[in-house]
Amino acid sequence: MNYLQHNKALHGTLLKTEEPVIFTKADSSLLKDGKPFFVPDWAERIDYEAELVVRISRLGKGIPERFAHRYYDAVTVGVDFTARDWQEKARRNGLPWEISKGFDGSAVIGEWQSLPLSTDGERDIQNLNFRLDINGKTVQEGCTADMFYRVDELIAYLSRFFTLKTGDLLFTGTPTGVGLVRVDDHLQGWLEDRKVLDFYCK
């Protein structure tokens, strides 16, 4: 719900939560280096959600927002795969999302890219365009300028509850256009004009 149009599509109107909605993924959910994603047979519907992913570069706890930019060093495009039928069942029953969001291979990441610097020499993470193509057709496009909760806000919030460690990955929300993924789909993720993600579903 961190992007304006996706938020509006979910709720019919804009709804900014009082706090960011957070969930975790197991380390076994990580999928990288262009390896294929195997669509699980225990779910009726698996949806793709393209996101900007931020790499934490140093240990931090209780990080003030004004210093949060010091705690990450690279970004990429990732896909947060979601077992939608399992998520809806969990929502109905007030249960956690771990199975629907944290199953094996559900956190796909692309090649890491250094952050561009703004005119004042700071990392300019809130002006990045990214997109996801499936079988050669663009299905999602986003710009980090459209986030409700900016990256530095998210890091400050998370570090209140979790000690952030070097190598932790922060998925930052998805723009509108999420949808069903199928066996043999070819997914490619772009950060600005650079292709950073390329894999198949099996």
Side-chain angles (χ1 to χ4, degrees), residues 96-156:
W97 291 4
E98 270 70 17
I99 291 177
S100 67
K101 286 285 194 179
F103 60 90
D104 288 354
S106 63
V108 187
I109 59 168
E111 299 174 9
W112 293 108
Q113 305 295 304
S114 298
L115 286 162
L117 297 179
S118 61
T119 53
D120 59 5
E122 296 293 336
R123 294 188 177 99
D124 192 11
I125 200 169
Q126 293 303 152
N127 191 30
L128 294 175
N129 296 290
F130 64 98
R131 77 174 198 264
L132 178 69
D133 294 351
I134 297 183
N135 304 325
K137 179 182 178 182
T138 298
V139 294
Q140 284 189 279
E141 292 182 280
C143 179
T144 56
D146 296 330
M147 286 180 173
F148 281 127
Y149 292 102
R150 296 175 292 113
V151 171
D152 290 359
E153 289 181 89
L154 293 173
I155 287 174

Side-chain angles (χ1 to χ4, degrees), residues 9 27 55-56 71 132 144 197:
D27 57 3
R55 184 175 69 189
I56 301 300
Y71 288 81
L132 178 69
T144 56
L197 183 68

